Amino acid sequence: YTTSLSRNDGVTIAMRNLVELASVELVGKLVKVPYWKCIAANPTDPLVKAEVEDWFEGMMSNPAELFAYFQYQMSIRGTYKGAVDGKPTQALSKSIKDYKTAMGVTPNAELNADFLLAYLNADHNAAMARLEVEQANTKATPSVAIAAQLRSSANSYKVGEAVAFTVSANTPSHAHCFMVDDNKAILRVLPNRFQRDSYVDASKSIRIPGERGGFTLSASAKEEVVECYVTHKDLVNELPSSIKSVDLEPLQGVRSLDEVRAVFQKLSGSPISVARIAIQGRK
């Protein structure tokens, strides 16, 4: 957020500044991010503390929202590997403890307004750097090899009929799935804007498209291929922008699934499982 002090702009620039300031505050409150940093407000200001306490109390009235919030936050920090489903788990508790340690605060699993305030005002670059050092010191190759499967919802499809797939694995893991459509374009179909979570539970499968819909895949007269790369850790923050920048649209600069597969194999640090299925509609 910036402003101009030129008197020549008069009322117009003043109105624009007010709209910009209101937008920063509105979006910040909506998605619960520390918008006060954008306007150089003091993070220790009592008004900031009161704002965060209101956020926490609001989420506490619906515990599933609170847990889902921290599941998502811990997943993007790299300490949580589970589903973002709003359910408290030991994995979430451990991830919070680990991140508190990286932040330099008391490493417990307690969630309260004080922790939310500390988290929002934390130096996450420094915390993430400490996490990376700790993870490098304790890094070990996962003992369970991933065996992933990709199945279609039907044995065959008519041209134009809606197609669905399920991906599953024998151990908790993360799946990224890509499709080569009938025009030979490559699209990322999981995770996507309607299914943001790549986590695959060992006891469940992920359906593509999801049960809530959002998009459809239709059988074509030409062969189409879906290929999933299943890894022990979530690689979303390490993928190049050409692969993670868009979903459900042709990837720019990516010529084949071989290129995508090679990226996952390089970044994984351990063997990945590749599941593949081809679909061609019948007339």
Side-chain angles (χ1 to χ4, degrees):
Y1 170 74
T2 58
T3 186
S4 169
L5 299 179
S6 172
R7 294 186 178 183
N8 294 329
D9 293 320
V11 175
T12 301
I13 192 66
M15 288 295 294
R16 188 180 73 181
N17 288 343
L18 287 174
V19 170
E20 289 180 353
L21 180 60
S23 299
V24 168
E25 183 177 7
L26 179 63
V27 173
K29 289 181 175 182
L30 178 65
V31 297
K32 296 181 176 61
V33 295
Y35 66 89
W36 48 86
K37 294 183 179 180
C38 300
I39 54 178
N42 187 343
T44 63
D45 191 297
L47 292 176
V48 172
K49 183 178 181 181
E51 178 84 64
V52 174
E53 287 176 348
D54 285 344
W55 291 359
F56 185 80
E57 292 300 324
M59 289 191 290
M60 274 294 292
S61 64
N62 179 15
E65 179 185 358
L66 178 67
F67 293 127
Y69 175 85
F70 278 104
Q71 283 173 331
Y72 176 72
Q73 293 297 323
M74 294 300 102
S75 68
I76 63 176
R77 303 302 173 195
T79 64
Y80 178 69
K81 310 298 182 184
V84 181
D85 56 9
K87 298 178 181 178
T89 62
Q90 290 185 347
L92 177 61
S93 297
K94 183 181 183 304
S95 69
I96 292 171
K97 290 179 182 178
D98 291 345
Y99 202 72
K100 282 187 175 183
T101 299
M103 288 172 54
V105 301
T106 303
N108 56 42
E110 184 178 0
L111 296 179
N112 53 36
D114 289 337
F115 170 58
L116 179 58
L117 179 63
Y119 177 79
L120 292 172
N121 288 321
D123 182 346
H124 294 292
N125 288 331
M128 293 292 288
R130 286 191 285 270
L131 267 179
E132 288 177 3
V133 171
E134 180 64 25
Q135 290 171 350
N137 291 336
T138 59
K139 186 176 180 180
T141 302
S143 58
V144 179
I146 301 175
Q149 291 185 323
L150 186 61
R151 296 186 177 93
S152 64
S153 57
N155 293 327
S156 63
Y157 298 92
K158 293 181 179 179
V159 172
E161 187 178 357
V163 177
F165 308 92
T166 58
V167 58
S168 59
N170 62 323
T171 186
S173 50
H174 292 267
H176 288 253
C177 301
F178 297 80
M179 179 178 185
V180 180
D181 68 10
D182 55 355
N183 293 316
K184 302 300 181 183
I186 300 175
L187 306 82
R188 191 182 81 238
V189 295
L190 185 77
N192 58 66
R193 70 198 70 176
F194 308 104
Q195 297 168 278
R196 298 182 182 274
D197 195 0
S198 66
Y199 179 72
V200 181
D201 194 297
S203 61
K204 298 179 181 179
S205 60
I206 296 180
R207 185 180 185 275
I208 311 167
E211 298 293 342
R212 297 183 179 180
F215 70 99
T216 58
L217 300 173
S218 301
S220 170
K222 299 179 181 179
E223 183 180 80
E224 298 174 301
V225 174
V226 174
E227 196 166 274
C228 294
Y229 312 112
V230 187
T231 59
H232 284 285
K233 63 178 182 179
D234 191 0
L235 300 175
V236 65
N237 292 324
E238 302 177 41
L239 293 172
S241 59
S242 59
I243 293 178
K244 72 176 182 179
S245 59
V246 295
D247 64 328
L248 307 177
E249 296 179 17
L251 298 179
Q252 302 301 314
V254 179
R255 294 170 294 182
S256 69
L257 289 178
D258 292 338
E259 292 182 17
V260 181
R261 190 186 316 115
V263 169
F264 279 89
Q265 290 172 335
K266 180 180 179 180
L267 295 177
S268 176
S270 61
I272 70 172
S273 180
V274 180
R276 179 185 176 98
I277 193 169
I279 293 292
Q280 183 169 0
R282 67 181 191 280
K283 295 182 179 179

